[in-house]
Amino acid sequence: MTALFQQLPSVDKLLNASQGQQLTTKFGHSAVVGVCRALLQQSRQFIQQNRRLPDFLIQDQAVFAEIERRLLQQSRVQIKSVHNLTGTVLHTNLGRALWAESAQRAALTAMGENVALEYDLEAGKRSHRDNYISELIHQLTGAEAACVVNNNAAAVLLMLATFAQGKEVIISRGELIEIGGAFRIPDIMAQAGCKLVEVGTTNRTHLTDYRNAINENTAFLMKVHSSNYQICGFTGEVAEHQLVELGREFNLPVISDLGSGALTDLSRYNLPKEPTVQEKFAQGVDLISFSGDKLLGGPQAGIIAGKRELIRQLQSHPLKRVLRCDKVILAGLEATLRLYLQPEKLAEKLTSLHLLTQPVEQLQRQAERLKAKLESVLNDEFSMQIEASSAQIGSGSQPMARIPSVAVTIAEKSSQKLTALLTRFKRLSSPIIARVENNKIWLDLRSLADLEKLLTALDELN
Ligand SMILES: *Cc1c(COP(=O)(O)O)cnc(C)c1O
């Protein structure tokens, strides 16, 4: 073993070789030294375990190829493009909504150029970064004004901290939701320093339950949309307009966390209906919060819309500065909202709505092309079929609703072979993320953004 260790080159020797110097010119001294050190350290471990030199040290040139490979790998971004064939269109783990093209362009401009973010070009003076969004939300929903923060969780936190610190918030037991990723309404209440007053029961809450809980320390009445679950059977909840009436009697605002918050009625597109922001305002709710990257189809953001005076108070809370969005997000969000001003073109231009509304016949044609491609790159031990599938919106919108879709399914007698195939899919330079169900791999076309790119990626399986 000692003899093997003695064959290891020193860092200096690697750096001073002509190939080493070429690498230093290309990547800089520190990065090359760092990679050489790590490589030699790993080589020592390899010798200890295997009692031989690693392959790249046996051949003289191979070590430099290995160093260069590692240096290139180091600068490759790991948040890389994947093909979403899960059938869940707004997939939180895969980044939720894909931005519309106009939103991408607006964001790109904001990234590389100075923009009029907090500058009123007409008045020639400072303005507020949320003004553009506020004006658009006013046009689209009738809300008096809006405030934008990092995400909807932040929106809920800001509303609670601003209006209910040290006070009580009344909420139905049927609405104490957990969204996942540690967002639980009771925990957010505690973070914001307010006291949660639960009323009613899990399945039924009545207006009198709210009424009986009101006292001089009540800050507001809260509704939370049960976005990721459904309570069925003997149930009852209090509608917003009833809460609003009660709130008026006691001079208490009604605040609603809508979650996904559709800005357009999805049933127009034959999709499962999700309550719209406009419908909630029509019931008289004072403030509504919703996400930017769920059904709205834009960047991650939380939008709070409603009464001007309440929005003004939110804007001046110190937490708003902590939670505010940057220029890239605001530019992308503005461009996304502008698409809603031309509703007839929305399903064509808003990517997530486009995916959700693709006709099944179109998905069928895509499935045929995908199946043909898979048959050409995989050997015949796999049996492939085109099958009817059910996709879903995702991100807690209509958790029980299924949208008709088409999938290519891959079956194989041995489940080990299927697992190995999934691994091969994941190792592609743009990996395929699929769904596994009933011992088959399901490649659902409803959530796929780019078939041509997928077909090209599959060539690597050859
Ligand atoms: C998704 C959701 C949230 C959290 O929104 P993010 O934008 O993911 O932070 C909060 N409340 C409800 C009801 C939701 O559906």
Side-chain angles (χ1 to χ4, degrees):
M1 247 201 320
T2 321
L4 287 173
F5 281 127
Q6 277 166 355
Q7 285 180 53
L8 288 178
S10 68
V11 172
D12 275 344
K13 186 169 172 220
L14 291 171
L15 287 177
N16 291 331
S18 70
Q19 299 99 315
Q21 284 177 355
Q22 277 165 21
L23 290 175
T24 310
T25 310
K26 194 163 160 195
F27 297 96
H29 181 78
S30 334
V32 181
V33 171
V35 167
C36 288
R37 284 206 182 115
L39 186 115
L40 291 172
Q41 174 63 25
Q42 284 164 11
S43 301
R44 274 180 223 110
Q45 281 170 1
F46 184 91
I47 292 170
Q48 236 151 24
Q49 281 159 12
N50 303 287
R51 298 181 181 264
R52 64 179 180 85
L53 286 174
D55 289 343
F56 55 75
L57 281 176
I58 293 170
Q59 232 192 337
D60 209 25
Q61 298 306 309
V63 67
F64 294 103
E66 176 61 17
I67 296 169
E68 178 157 28
R69 192 189 66 75
R70 291 181 181 210
L71 285 161
L72 288 171
Q73 171 67 23
Q74 195 172 68
S75 45
R76 207 164 291 143
V77 175
Q78 297 294 301
I79 300 183
K80 62 178 161 189
S81 162
V82 299
H83 298 282
N84 178 4
L85 289 146
T86 60
T88 300
V89 176
L90 299 170
H91 200 302
T92 298
N93 303 144
L94 304 180
R96 289 195 187 160
L98 306 179
W99 294 22
E101 251 175 62
S102 61
Q104 296 179 36
R105 280 197 303 274
L108 212 56
T109 301
M111 279 177 211
E113 295 168 35
N114 284 116
V115 287
L117 178 66
E118 296 181 348
Y119 191 81
D120 183 334
L121 289 166
E122 267 167 44
K125 61 176 193 329
R126 205 183 152 178
S127 72
H128 194 285
R129 64 174 59 209
D130 289 354
N131 279 3
Y132 303 106
I133 305 297
S134 183
E135 178 55 33
L136 277 163
I137 290 289
H138 167 65
Q139 279 186 55
L140 292 168
T141 70
E144 288 174 12
C147 161
V148 194
V149 287
N150 179 54
N151 55 17
N152 189 33
V156 174
L157 177 70
L158 181 62
M159 293 192 295
L160 292 168
T162 305
F163 302 114
Q165 198 162 36
K167 294 176 128 192
E168 298 179 359
V169 173
I170 304 175
I171 184 171
S172 158
R173 286 205 167 86
E175 296 171 13
L176 295 174
I177 60 162
E178 172 179 312
I179 299 292
F183 179 87
R184 287 176 157 192
I185 287 290
D187 299 341
I188 300 282
M189 294 249 182
Q191 282 300 317
C194 42
K195 185 172 166 226
L196 167 72
V197 179
E198 305 171 21
V199 297
T201 59
T202 309
N203 57 329
R204 283 172 77 85
T205 302
H206 307 282
L207 192 60
T208 47
D209 296 325
Y210 289 92
R211 180 184 290 277
N212 293 341
I214 294 176
N215 64 35
E216 67 287 347
N217 209 21
T218 305
F220 59 80
L221 310 176
M222 184 166 192
K223 279 290 279 185
V224 178
H225 180 52
S226 61
S227 45
N228 53 3
Y229 65 98
Q230 241 166 31
I231 298 181
C232 307
F234 185 54
T235 63
E237 61 171 324
V238 179
E240 271 85 349
H241 68 90
Q242 292 172 288
L243 273 192
V244 166
E245 232 169 85
L246 182 65
R248 298 245 162 90
E249 204 178 305
F250 291 92
N251 203 17
L252 294 172
V254 174
I255 291 184
S256 175
D257 168 13
L258 203 47
S260 208
L263 286 180
T264 179
D265 183 353
L266 292 184
S267 56
R268 271 207 269 174
Y269 302 95
N270 286 326
L271 289 167
K273 179 154 176 72
E274 179 81 10
T276 67
V277 176
Q278 293 87 333
E279 285 160 10
K280 297 293 172 190
F281 277 133
Q283 297 199 42
V285 173
D286 297 278
L287 282 181
I288 297 178
S289 79
F290 50 99
S291 295
D293 56 353
K294 292 185 179 174
L295 274 174
L296 197 147
Q300 180 189 302
I303 299 169
I304 308 168
K307 297 273 155 61
R308 186 180 308 283
E309 173 50 26
L310 299 180
I311 296 292
R312 194 196 59 71
Q313 291 180 48
L314 290 169
Q315 291 288 13
S316 48
H317 191 281
L319 261 184
K320 170 66 206 311
R321 179 62 169 76
V322 177
L323 302 171
R324 76 178 187 186
C325 291
D326 81 324
K327 59 181 182 170
V328 177
I329 297 297
L330 289 169
L333 184 59
E334 187 199 333
T336 306
L337 289 172
R338 289 197 180 282
L339 297 176
Y340 282 87
L341 297 172
Q342 294 163 5
E344 287 82 4
K345 307 303 270 175
L346 195 62
E348 183 188 323
K349 296 194 168 161
L350 190 70
T351 313
S352 45
L353 193 57
H354 168 74
L355 293 176
L356 288 168
T357 55
Q358 289 172 106
V360 168
E361 304 76 57
Q362 193 174 315
L363 300 179
Q364 174 76 25
R365 285 193 295 275
Q366 292 189 357
E368 280 156 17
R369 291 185 61 200
L370 176 57
K371 178 166 172 270
K373 183 74 186 189
L374 284 165
E375 280 165 348
S376 76
V377 294
L378 296 178
N379 54 26
D380 45 18
E381 62 193 334
F382 296 100
S383 80
M384 273 164 263
Q385 258 184 298
I386 294 178
E387 294 189 53
S389 174
S390 20
Q392 48 183 326
I393 298 177
S395 284
S397 302
Q398 292 295 339
M400 307 305 283
R402 292 293 177 269
I403 305 167
S405 184
V406 181
V408 178
T409 61
I410 308 177
E412 156 50 53
K413 275 158 235 92
S414 116
S415 67
Q416 267 168 334
K417 289 221 171 96
L418 275 192
T419 311
L421 181 60
L422 280 174
T423 307
R424 283 170 77 197
F425 280 163
K426 285 194 191 124
R427 292 214 175 119
L428 294 172
S429 54
S430 50
I432 292 174
I433 314 292
R435 193 169 84 217
V436 179
E437 225 171 74
N438 302 331
N439 299 320
K440 283 190 220 174
I441 297 177
W442 289 70
L443 302 172
D444 192 314
L445 277 302
R446 170 72 65 197
S447 51
L448 177 67
D450 192 339
L451 177 68
E452 303 307 326
K453 201 172 155 205
L454 170 64
L455 296 179
T456 312
L458 284 170
D459 279 330
E460 288 173 32
L461 288 180
N462 259 328

